[in-house]
Amino acid sequence: MNTQKPAGFFIRACAELVDVILFYPVIFCLNWFTYGAVVGEKLIRGPIELLTSWVLPTVIIFTCWSFWSATPGKLLFSLKIVNKENSSKPQFTAWIIRYLGYFISSIPVFLGFIWVLFDKNNESWHDKLSKTIVIRDTSSGKSKSKFILWTLVAAIVTFLIILSITALGRLGGKFQETIR
């Protein structure tokens, strides 16, 4: 059993907020430059939105989990996702269950996330389903400098992608009509 203290609701919520602040503007800009208006009648307006709103975030999250056992927000707050039983890095199947568990945790007004407030072990529903736990990783002093470096690299790459899509999207005014 894990002997490290699980992270509480508020620090986890702050980490999630950092992730939203990092990723949402990128997704928003990619979709806006591609499709124009933000609000549409459809959940997915085309292939670009499917990629930017569903595939890209999934790939980013799984990549972060695979390398650091954390998202950028969790890294910033020195949090880490570990196997509940032995504090090891979770297996890929646990990552999949955890990710799908996010949807289950979200459906009833985010009750699965809020559950951390009421659970004696600070576990959310997706923690319970995947047999993982979020802990404070006190051993990773150097991870913050890596996080800052990778965030800078990600920001530069994101800027270049947005710039490229803007150029493509405005090139002759036909790009948006073509992919709709």
Side-chain angles (χ1 to χ4, degrees):
M1 182 71 174
N2 186 354
T3 58
Q4 292 181 290
K5 187 175 182 205
F9 173 79
F10 293 104
I11 194 164
R12 290 174 70 165
C14 288
E16 184 62 30
L17 183 61
V18 168
D19 290 335
V20 167
I21 289 169
L22 282 175
F23 297 129
Y24 183 75
V26 174
I27 293 166
F28 173 82
C29 289
L30 290 172
N31 289 331
W32 185 81
F33 288 129
T34 305
Y35 296 104
V38 177
V39 180
E41 303 90 38
K42 301 177 188 174
L43 177 63
I44 298 174
R45 293 174 280 183
I48 302 295
E49 188 163 21
L50 175 67
L51 287 172
T52 59
S53 296
W54 294 94
V55 176
L56 181 64
T58 303
V59 169
I60 290 171
I61 287 170
F62 276 95
T63 301
C64 290
W65 284 350
S66 296
F67 282 103
W68 302 294
S69 296
T71 58
K74 284 183 179 62
L75 283 174
L76 185 65
F77 291 97
S78 298
L79 302 178
K80 186 177 183 178
I81 305 165
V82 296
N83 182 304
K84 183 179 176 182
E85 296 303 316
N86 57 18
S87 297
S88 65
K89 185 175 187 173
Q91 298 292 318
F92 192 73
T93 52
W95 294 134
I96 293 170
I97 294 167
R98 183 179 178 82
Y99 189 77
L100 295 174
Y102 278 4
F103 295 101
I104 295 168
S105 291
S106 299
I107 292 171
V109 292
F110 296 95
L111 183 60
F113 293 96
I114 297 168
W115 197 258
V116 174
L117 285 169
F118 307 107
D119 189 86
K120 65 178 178 159
N121 296 321
N122 291 351
E123 291 179 87
S124 63
W125 290 356
H126 50 275
D127 289 329
K128 291 178 182 298
L129 288 168
S130 63
K131 297 182 175 106
T132 59
I133 193 79
V134 178
I135 60 166
R136 178 77 89 150
D137 185 18
T138 55
S139 65
S140 65
K142 61 182 179 181
S143 70
K144 281 193 182 178
S145 58
K146 283 184 182 178
F147 166 75
I148 292 168
L149 174 66
W150 282 109
T151 301
L152 182 61
V153 169
I156 292 168
V157 169
T158 300
F159 174 74
L160 293 174
I161 290 171
I162 290 172
L163 190 63
S164 300
I165 289 177
T166 302
L168 285 173
R170 303 302 178 207
L171 189 64
K174 300 292 181 189
F175 185 66
Q176 291 180 354
E177 282 75 31
T178 304
I179 60 174
R180 284 186 184 170

